[in-house]
Amino acid sequence: MHITKTAFILFFMAVSLATHSSYGQSDELQIIPKPANVVVKEGIFTLNNRTGIAYDETFQVSAGFLRNYITSGSSIDLNGKASIHFIKETALPNPESYILDIEPSQIKIMASTDKGAFYAVQTLRQLLPPSFENGTCEKNDVAIPAMYIEDSPEFPYRGMHLDVCRHMFSIDNIKTYIDAIAMLKFNTFHWHLTDDQGWRIEIKKYPNLQKVAAYRTETLIGHYNTEPQQFDGKRYGGYYTQEQIKDIVAYAQSRHVTVIPEIEMPGHAQAAISAYPELGCTGKKIDAATKWGVFDDIFCPKDATFEFLQDVLDEVLELFPSEYIHIGGDEAPKTRWEACQHCQTLIKNKGLKDEHELQSYFITRIEKYLNSKGRQIIGWDEILEGGLAPNATVMSWRGTNGAVEAAKLNHNVIMTPNSHLYFDYYQFDGDGEPLAIGGYIPLEKVYNLNPIPDGLTEEQAGYVLGAQANLWTEYIPTFDQVTYMVFPRILALSEVIWRNPKNKNYNEFAARVENFQNRLDVLGINYANHLNTITGSMSPNGFVLKTPILNKDIYYTLDGNLPQIHSKKYTAPIPIMGNTHIKAAVFEDNKQVSSVFSQSINHHKAFGAKITLNPLPHKTYSGSGAEGMVNGISGSSSRYGDKEWIGYSGEDVEIVIDLGKKTKINTIETRFYHAPGQWIYAPKSVEIGFNGSSSKTVTLHPTDDLMANLKIDLKKTKSRFIFIKVPNFGIIPEGKQGAGHRAWTFIDEIIVN
Ligand code: ACM
Ligand code: ZN
């Protein structure tokens, strides 16, 4: 923490002004991401036609943005006497820091750079009525409460990613996306431009990229895991011209957003190889992929390939001034390289150990090329395998291990863990969500992320540049759905990377999200709203109902009827004495404002029993802990990430249930999730034992695409203890997603009757 002159000033003001606050303690300032320091002062500044803006050329972008925002948002023309001043202030923690000092007589925006001032303007924007967003503010005098804000980002890299290969979005859509991220003080747009299903950037030297690689013959319908797979029979594709890309880059620049292009190599290259088969190992003609996943046909590391990629990058560098260029590096199966004469000779000649070192050779060679042009590479965490290129920044997506490993090697890292920041995953554990790839990352989970992974020293933590959410668009065909998946989770991410609140208060944050929805409504941005949604959980005192925003009125029934305003009002956990069905809803002004929450609780013989799990579940998928395995509540039948499933990465599991006394047991039931597309496999068999009798092994068969049910009839066994051994499925077979890795195991409620 740097002690600056302004920090001192702020401290002084805090002391002198705290008593004059016009905002009560509970009246949080409605700004997202929440500024670091705010002191509310007495009085208001009035924005009207007597207002004008003064700035020098340092602040052209930010002042221009503010002028345009106000004049197009209202009839206020800003031709009055200068009372909004942009002032250069160098004594601030970093170039993105700002001070926004609103007094009744003037507004001062202080920053050392235009970037800092731009963020002051975004804060000021949120102090104006949402009607400015679409030019419908009809007021001639707009009151802004006087306050002093000193604000500064915690992380220098604040990114949002968008995949335009699986589905493509218009230039206007991309601009809306950039507008949205800039509003929330993100500074990077990671544009995923090439993949197996389509090449989306015009490269003039290679016309087949436009003619061939930009199109696929058809697209998978429905979920990848649904058998048999079906296709729509419709040609799909297109690409962005270099003129369009220049337009986007300039547009982003005028919002202080850097566009980082991603050109995938050596994997996810099937579309490129469809246009130029000689870039692959086999030389055979293939088509751009029509479904999702990981494909074997990757770039062959021969001179012609490097020439192609360098030519491509030459044109990319002309279009994108970004220091960083993303070169992919993820999910490159080595199948073709293993069988390729050229690849094998290259491994020998270069003294490489294996295909992983060949990938490292590939990436390092490209890095050298880009470094020679004054650029740096970013790659997905697989670029650690076989040796990290000397100057590479690692984007950690498979959890956080890649980040820890890279930071320990003194490499910069960017956090995009698929446990918290894959916004293509489900955000709500209930009906009505659009089809998604899988997973479950609700708003609260994003909000609770700490971008600094465990296991780093303070110095190593310094290599964490920031974080980014990824939006892969396999299941996202429209831009309305893009924003639905992004909002409101991006609000949580903005908070986590701008300030990473030390004392997180999700309920307080959720209330600000609810307020922010007014702005999104006016902006016409489609978003998910689960803020009134009731969630339930078992506690030692009974069943707890809550909503993200506190103090909502919840009414419930236990008789199967729909809840009404006359039903019982929820005030304390509901005691569970037998099989119970709870239905609940939120009411506001006598109107139901939530969907109906419905939960059956199975009061079986192991309900609330003592249970131990060895080992403990993976910390990202720990469900409701061991107790959650016997809490009477089964997990979702379509999503493994909810709080009733527990997940293990590759481990064998031993479960012991203590029923407290010798008990007659007729049946034991549970479910194992089975989603090979997500590396999740039901065990091949399970072993069940009791005290005083020999154990028995039960073979399992997944009964449908997603589930393997286990039901054991025991013919009145008597036992106090139940021992369940769940061996991991083992190594994922060749040809499947995640081949070569150990499978995940997901286990549901264990029901004993
Ligand atoms: C990735 O999700 N394959 C980076
Ligand atoms: Zn090859």
Side-chain angles (χ1 to χ4, degrees):
M1 186 65 196
H2 309 271
I3 300 297
T4 63
K5 186 174 81 188
T6 44
F8 179 76
I9 293 169
L10 175 70
F11 175 71
F12 172 74
M13 297 192 68
V15 170
S16 61
L17 295 166
T19 49
H20 300 293
S21 173
S22 59
Y23 277 70
Q25 289 289 342
S26 60
D27 211 353
E28 289 287 343
L29 202 57
Q30 298 288 333
I31 296 170
I32 297 178
K34 192 175 188 167
N37 296 294
V38 181
V39 181
V40 177
K41 301 193 276 187
E42 191 108 307
I44 53 163
F45 175 90
T46 306
L47 179 66
N48 57 27
N49 270 339
R50 291 184 298 279
T51 308
I53 302 184
Y55 61 95
D56 67 25
E57 75 233 56
T58 311
F59 300 111
Q60 244 160 28
V61 168
S62 50
F65 186 98
L66 182 62
R67 171 174 289 284
N68 182 57
Y69 184 77
I70 291 173
T71 57
S72 64
S74 65
S75 58
I76 295 167
D77 59 19
L78 289 180
N79 287 332
K81 182 170 150 283
S83 46
I84 301 178
H85 300 274
F86 286 76
I87 299 161
K88 192 155 178 136
E89 167 59 75
T90 50
L92 287 171
N94 69 59
E96 296 186 303
S97 311
Y98 69 87
I99 290 171
L100 173 61
D101 188 6
I102 303 168
E103 294 172 354
S105 60
Q106 61 173 351
I107 293 178
K108 285 188 284 185
I109 288 171
M110 292 179 260
S112 65
T113 70
D114 201 8
K115 251 186 143 171
F118 185 80
Y119 297 134
V121 168
Q122 297 312 313
T123 297
L124 183 55
R125 172 184 186 174
Q126 291 190 39
L127 294 170
L128 296 174
S131 55
F132 273 80
E133 299 291 354
N134 67 350
T136 56
C137 180
E138 284 177 351
K139 292 184 189 160
N140 297 317
D141 291 286
V142 177
I144 308 172
M147 66 185 77
Y148 180 90
I149 297 179
E150 189 177 294
D151 200 8
S152 197
E154 178 124 346
F155 293 98
Y157 185 103
R158 302 181 303 277
M160 281 297 296
H161 156 283
L162 182 64
D163 166 15
V164 294
C165 302
R166 279 54 178 265
H167 286 100
M168 198 178 167
F169 310 97
S170 73
I171 290 295
D172 280 347
N173 292 159
I174 304 286
K175 287 181 177 172
T176 301
Y177 198 75
I178 290 168
D179 278 334
I181 73 177
M183 168 172 67
L184 297 165
K185 304 186 174 82
F186 284 75
N187 59 12
T188 308
F189 169 46
H190 171 174
W191 202 0
H192 183 79
L193 285 163
T194 73
D195 215 304
D196 300 303
Q197 297 81 2
W199 181 284
R200 305 274 176 248
I201 170 172
E202 180 188 22
I203 300 295
K204 295 194 192 272
K205 190 159 182 187
Y206 294 98
N208 282 359
L209 291 175
Q210 286 68 253
K211 277 209 253 353
V212 180
Y215 297 91
R216 57 178 181 258
T217 53
E218 57 182 355
T219 303
L220 183 75
I221 304 173
H223 199 278
Y224 183 93
N225 290 341
T226 305
E227 303 274 356
Q229 290 183 332
Q230 288 187 36
F231 295 83
D232 65 3
K234 288 185 213 139
R235 184 172 137 97
Y236 185 95
Y239 61 92
Y240 302 105
T241 66
Q242 295 202 349
E243 283 313 304
Q244 288 175 319
I245 288 171
K246 282 184 206 157
D247 180 33
I248 289 294
V249 170
Y251 190 84
Q253 257 165 356
S254 70
R255 280 145 187 80
H256 287 297
V257 170
T258 301
V259 185
I260 297 183
E262 181 180 354
I263 308 296
E264 273 265 20
M265 61 190 81
H268 289 294
Q270 192 164 315
I273 295 169
S274 78
Y276 296 99
E278 62 273 23
L279 300 173
C281 287
T282 67
K284 281 200 197 106
K285 171 83 182 103
I286 51 170
D287 291 330
T290 57
K291 59 179 171 182
W292 325 124
V294 175
F295 298 89
D296 283 344
D297 287 290
I298 68 174
F299 287 126
C300 178
K302 50 195 164 198
D303 287 342
T305 304
F306 287 108
E307 228 165 84
F308 166 83
L309 288 172
Q310 288 174 8
D311 289 342
V312 166
L313 289 170
D314 285 346
E315 293 191 33
V316 167
L317 300 188
E318 282 296 315
L319 296 169
F320 296 93
S322 164
E323 183 190 358
Y324 288 103
I325 304 293
H326 202 304
I327 50 72
D330 59 320
E331 300 181 319
K334 305 300 185 289
T335 322
R336 293 284 182 265
W337 289 4
E338 282 161 9
C340 169
Q341 188 68 51
H342 169 79
C343 289
Q344 292 306 313
T345 308
L346 190 58
I347 287 176
K348 224 173 275 151
N349 290 349
K350 298 282 173 195
L352 304 173
K353 205 169 83 214
D354 56 14
E355 289 74 20
H356 292 296
E357 290 200 354
L358 183 55
Q359 161 141 347
S360 172
Y361 164 84
F362 194 118
I363 301 293
T364 303
R365 188 160 157 178
I366 292 293
E367 177 182 74
K368 221 177 263 170
Y369 185 74
L370 287 171
N371 286 171
S372 79
K373 307 273 173 184
R375 309 297 180 98
Q376 297 294 329
I377 67 162
I378 301 177
W380 301 110
D381 55 47
E382 285 94 330
I383 66 169
L384 281 153
E385 296 164 8
L388 195 49
N391 306 310
T393 294
V394 172
M395 202 167 252
S396 186
W397 72 278
R398 296 175 300 177
T400 57
N401 293 350
V404 172
E405 194 182 333
K408 287 185 173 168
L409 294 167
N410 302 346
H411 280 251
N412 284 333
V413 301
I414 295 160
M415 306 303 299
T416 70
N418 59 2
S419 53
H420 292 75
L421 296 179
Y422 266 45
F423 287 1
D424 56 334
Y425 288 14
Y426 285 103
Q427 58 191 311
F428 177 57
D429 171 30
D431 297 333
E433 289 299 284
L435 180 71
I437 191 161
Y440 176 51
I441 302 181
L443 182 63
E444 185 170 11
K445 185 152 190 182
V446 180
Y447 180 73
N448 284 327
L449 173 69
N450 180 1
I452 305 289
D454 291 342
L456 295 181
T457 64
E458 198 167 320
E459 196 199 331
Q460 288 161 349
Y463 288 102
V464 179
L465 298 182
Q468 166 180 298
N470 295 336
L471 197 73
W472 303 103
T473 56
E474 288 94 334
Y475 298 93
I476 306 180
T478 66
F479 190 68
D480 258 1
Q481 201 179 330
V482 165
T483 62
Y484 182 89
M485 299 308 277
V486 165
F487 283 91
R489 287 183 285 191
I490 188 176
L491 301 175
L493 176 59
S494 78
E495 201 115 317
V496 156
I497 44 182
W498 183 265
R499 285 310 306 164
N500 197 24
K502 295 296 171 285
N503 301 306
K504 297 201 184 193
N505 183 336
Y506 179 64
N507 304 116
E508 182 274 315
F509 168 70
R512 279 184 292 127
V513 171
E514 188 175 53
N515 174 72
F516 200 88
Q517 287 175 344
N518 298 325
R519 196 163 293 272
L520 295 177
D521 288 336
V522 181
L523 281 164
I525 291 178
N526 185 39
Y527 57 89
N529 180 7
H530 299 300
L531 294 177
N532 281 328
T533 300
I534 297 170
T535 51
S537 58
M538 193 60 73
S539 80
N541 303 325
F543 198 78
V544 176
L545 297 175
K546 65 176 193 198
T547 54
I549 300 170
L550 300 178
N551 306 321
K552 297 265 175 180
D553 291 334
I554 301 175
Y555 293 84
Y556 71 95
T557 63
L558 299 176
D559 57 8
N561 288 322
L562 288 175
Q564 310 280 335
I565 191 77
H566 312 293
S567 306
K568 217 170 151 89
K569 187 168 176 186
Y570 177 85
T571 53
I574 304 164
I576 303 299
M577 316 304 282
N579 286 347
T580 305
H581 196 115
I582 299 172
K583 286 189 176 171
V586 178
F587 288 82
E588 237 168 58
D589 302 329
N590 289 329
K591 268 210 338 255
Q592 185 180 323
V593 294
S594 75
S595 52
V596 174
F597 169 87
S598 175
Q599 178 70 62
S600 354
I601 296 145
N602 182 349
H603 196 268
H604 56 84
K605 284 182 178 165
F607 178 85
K610 230 164 92 185
I611 175 167
T612 57
L613 302 174
N614 185 23
L616 290 175
H618 191 276
K619 72 173 191 295
T620 312
Y621 296 106
S622 55
S624 300
E627 294 75 27
M629 305 294 290
V630 286
N631 65 357
I633 304 170
S634 292
S636 158
S637 294
S638 54
R639 286 183 282 284
Y640 56 85
D642 73 11
K643 62 189 188 325
E644 303 305 331
W645 286 97
I646 57 168
Y648 287 89
S649 174
E651 293 159 309
D652 301 335
V653 189
E654 290 189 17
I655 301 167
V656 181
I657 299 172
D658 177 358
L659 299 174
K661 60 177 195 296
K662 203 161 180 184
T663 304
K664 208 186 286 172
I665 302 170
N666 296 315
T667 59
I668 298 176
E669 291 171 75
T670 188
R671 298 190 299 175
F672 298 96
Y673 213 83
H674 188 76
Q678 267 102 49
W679 308 21
I680 300 167
Y681 285 74
K684 292 170 187 147
S685 65
V686 174
E687 195 181 314
I688 307 259
F690 306 96
N691 42 330
S693 69
S694 60
S695 63
K696 96 189 230 171
T697 299
V698 187
T699 313
L700 277 171
H701 302 284
T703 47
D704 58 30
D705 332 322
L706 275 182
M707 220 57 75
N709 294 309
L710 174 73
K711 180 166 182 182
I712 307 171
D713 279 305
L714 292 156
K715 307 198 174 52
K716 299 184 185 135
T717 297
K718 273 192 148 186
S719 182
R720 171 174 168 183
F721 292 94
I722 303 170
F723 307 96
I724 306 175
K725 282 191 186 170
V726 182
N728 182 257
F729 172 85
I731 303 288
I732 299 174
E734 277 306 316
K736 301 283 186 191
Q737 304 281 326
H741 294 265
R742 285 185 81 86
W744 282 79
T745 309
F746 275 80
I747 316 173
D748 196 2
E749 174 87 359
I750 297 169
I751 302 165
V752 179
N753 275 309

